[in-house]
Amino acid sequence: MVANIITKLFTSYGLVGAIGIVALIMFIAYSIADAIGQKRMGSAFAIIIGLILAYIAGKYTGGEKGLSDIKLFAGLGLLGGGMLRDYAIISTAYGVKLENLKKAGLVGVISLLVGVAFSFVIGAIVAVALGFKNPVDITTIGAGAVTFIVGPVTGSALGASSEVIALSIAAGVVKSVLTMIITPIIASVIGLNNPTAAMVYGGLLGTTSGVAGGLAATDPKLVPYGAMTATFYTGLGTLLVPSVGFLIIRAIFG
Amino acid sequence: MEIYGLGIIAFCMFAGTFIGNLLGELLGVKGDVGGVGIAMLFLVLISNYLEAKGKPFPEKTAKGIEFVSSLYIPIVVAMSSIQNVVAAFSGGAVAFLAGGLATIGSMLLIPLISKIGTSQESKK
């Protein structure tokens, strides 16, 4: 009886339940951070707890959407989904100075072009090194190393098999999860502490969720700069990879 | 009123993603090219313009915008909890190496490209 009522509450108040769960996760994460004297690591811990829970839930349900595949926690799909994420990302632009954007405008564009090309080439090299010979497969896996959206878009445009498309999505997800985890750790080494570097970071990494999570865990003030360039990355990738990228790969391995 | 702030973001989001989708159609790419970035640019332009005119957003409107940005980290935490982490770990060597090397390599390029940015600035 009690369990039924609780289930009913969580399913009919999905979004509110999700807010409560996230508040609890953040409370635990910040308490841990406080206890070890690393207050700034609070949001990094919260993100890592989120990822661990997503892993456990994914193992348990066999689904693709982490905790939100469990009926009780379906509201997290709304709170953490694309709509509210983008809405919140846009709001962070408030307080950004136009001069800072202008200053890093050109270098932002350069980092976008270099970023897409670099990830694609690395992904393609890995595919070739591990024995893929078909230009379509190589291009699709390279596209996955760009982002987990560019991978399947490229794969379906070129007619790749569903196994290769699945691999390309997995490569993109590895990138996004890894970006969330290692950004706060590596930030001081790579000089990620000013608006220009954040714009370069967004342009080079490009995974919207990875960049969003990575910068949130590093320094929330840098979020708008990184997010701004990152949002162009997937579009640029879907534009360049299936066209120019595929032509180059085909010329080499065709 | 605070809701004006939330509404301004909503307006920027719709205007920006509209242009992003239009750009996508024109370029022959399915979907949105930089819509969120364009939306952010609108918000920066509007707020900088008003400030330059000496008429920044009223305090309560600004509070509405700041409220949404204060939800950013919680939303990112919710986002991390719905990622397909299992797929990331079970994609095998190809997925792990392709995604992993691309990530680490890109990170190491940051100081290099940031340097181009700062050297350009000092030339001016």
Side-chain angles (χ1 to χ4, degrees), chain A residues 22 25-26 30 43 46-47 50-51 53-55 58-59 63-68 76-77 79-81 83-99 101 103 106-107 110-111 114-115 118-119 122-123 126-127 130 132 141 145 148 167 170-171 173-180 182-183 186 189-190 192 196-197 200-201 204-205 209-213 216 220 223-225 227-228 231-232 235-236 238-239, chain B residues 3 5-14 16-17 23-24 27-30 32-45 47-49 51 56-59 61-118 120-121 124:
Chain A
V22 170
I25 293 177
M26 292 193 62
Y30 277 85
S43 36
I47 289 166
L51 291 171
L53 292 174
Y55 180 80
K59 277 279 176 205
E64 293 173 351
K65 295 203 170 74
L67 267 186
S68 67
L76 284 167
L79 184 62
M83 177 174 67
L84 287 178
R85 184 199 62 196
D86 291 348
Y87 187 61
I89 286 180
I90 295 167
S91 76
T92 63
Y94 181 66
V96 165
K97 291 269 170 290
L98 201 54
E99 306 98 74
L101 287 185
K103 230 165 33 185
L106 180 68
V107 81
I110 295 175
S111 64
V114 173
F118 178 79
S119 288
I122 295 283
V126 169
L130 294 179
F132 287 87
I141 292 169
F148 59 77
L167 274 183
V173 176
V174 167
K175 186 181 186 185
S176 138
V177 171
L178 210 58
T179 303
M180 289 184 213
I182 64 177
T183 304
I186 205 175
V189 182
I190 55 178
L192 184 55
T196 303
V200 171
Y201 164 83
L204 283 173
L205 271 307
S209 33
V211 166
V223 166
Y225 300 99
M228 178 108 53
T231 118
F232 287 92
L236 192 68
T238 43
L239 183 68
Chain B
I3 186 69
L6 277 78
I8 288 167
I9 311 168
F11 168 78
C12 291
M13 184 166 175
F14 273 69
T17 41
L23 207 61
L27 292 170
V29 180
K30 272 177 215 142
D32 174 357
V33 178
V36 173
I38 298 168
M40 294 172 85
L41 211 55
F42 280 144
L43 187 55
V44 173
L45 288 174
S47 58
N48 278 260
Y49 173 74
E51 256 164 58
F57 287 135
E59 192 189 330
T61 307
K63 259 192 193 154
I65 302 177
E66 280 156 6
F67 167 71
V68 179
S69 46
S70 74
L71 287 179
Y72 174 74
I73 289 177
I75 285 173
V76 166
V77 172
M79 177 195 81
S80 71
S81 79
I82 60 169
Q83 299 294 306
N84 194 358
V85 184
V86 174
F89 280 106
S90 56
V94 182
F96 210 79
L97 285 174
L101 292 176
T103 308
I104 293 167
S106 302
M107 297 246 181
L108 296 179
L109 283 177
I110 294 171
L112 230 65
I113 296 188
S114 307
K115 222 178 254 168
I116 303 176
T118 41
Q120 252 181 1
E121 229 176 274
K124 275 176 197 168

Side-chain angles (χ1 to χ4, degrees), chain A residues 6-254:
Chain A
I6 292 177
T7 314
K8 203 180 129 200
L9 283 180
F10 269 94
T11 41
S12 41
Y13 299 155
L15 182 60
V16 174
I19 292 171
I21 293 163
V22 170
L24 187 66
I25 293 177
M26 292 193 62
F27 176 72
I28 295 169
Y30 277 85
S31 305
I32 298 174
D34 234 5
I36 61 168
Q38 296 282 339
K39 215 164 182 183
R40 289 188 47 140
M41 296 292 282
S43 36
F45 286 154
I47 289 166
I48 289 170
I49 294 175
L51 291 171
I52 294 171
L53 292 174
Y55 180 80
I56 297 170
K59 277 279 176 205
Y60 171 72
T61 62
E64 293 173 351
K65 295 203 170 74
L67 267 186
S68 67
D69 283 328
I70 299 172
K71 223 170 144 196
L72 284 180
F73 306 132
L76 284 167
L78 183 55
L79 184 62
M83 177 174 67
L84 287 178
R85 184 199 62 196
D86 291 348
Y87 187 61
I89 286 180
I90 295 167
S91 76
T92 63
Y94 181 66
V96 165
K97 291 269 170 290
L98 201 54
E99 306 98 74
N100 282 343
L101 287 185
K102 278 190 192 152
K103 230 165 33 185
L106 180 68
V107 81
V109 174
I110 295 175
S111 64
L112 271 168
L113 290 168
V114 173
V116 170
F118 178 79
S119 288
F120 174 64
V121 169
I122 295 283
I125 290 175
V126 169
V128 172
L130 294 179
F132 287 87
K133 294 201 169 65
N134 182 338
V136 170
D137 295 349
I138 298 170
T139 310
T140 305
I141 292 169
V146 179
T147 67
F148 59 77
I149 295 172
V150 181
V153 168
T154 304
S156 26
L158 300 177
S161 68
S162 63
E163 290 84 17
V164 171
I165 291 182
L167 274 183
S168 78
I169 297 175
V173 176
V174 167
K175 186 181 186 185
S176 138
V177 171
L178 210 58
T179 303
M180 289 184 213
I181 298 174
I182 64 177
T183 304
I185 303 171
I186 205 175
S188 59
V189 182
I190 55 178
L192 184 55
N193 54 17
N194 59 76
T196 303
M199 280 182 79
V200 171
Y201 164 83
L204 283 173
L205 271 307
T207 140
T208 315
S209 33
V211 166
L215 284 180
T218 307
D219 181 358
K221 275 197 227 60
L222 299 178
V223 166
Y225 300 99
M228 178 108 53
T229 39
T231 118
F232 287 92
Y233 186 92
T234 289
L236 192 68
T238 43
L239 183 68
L240 293 180
V241 170
S243 53
V244 186
F246 178 59
L247 290 178
I248 295 172
I249 296 289
R250 201 177 52 181
I252 302 174
F253 299 97

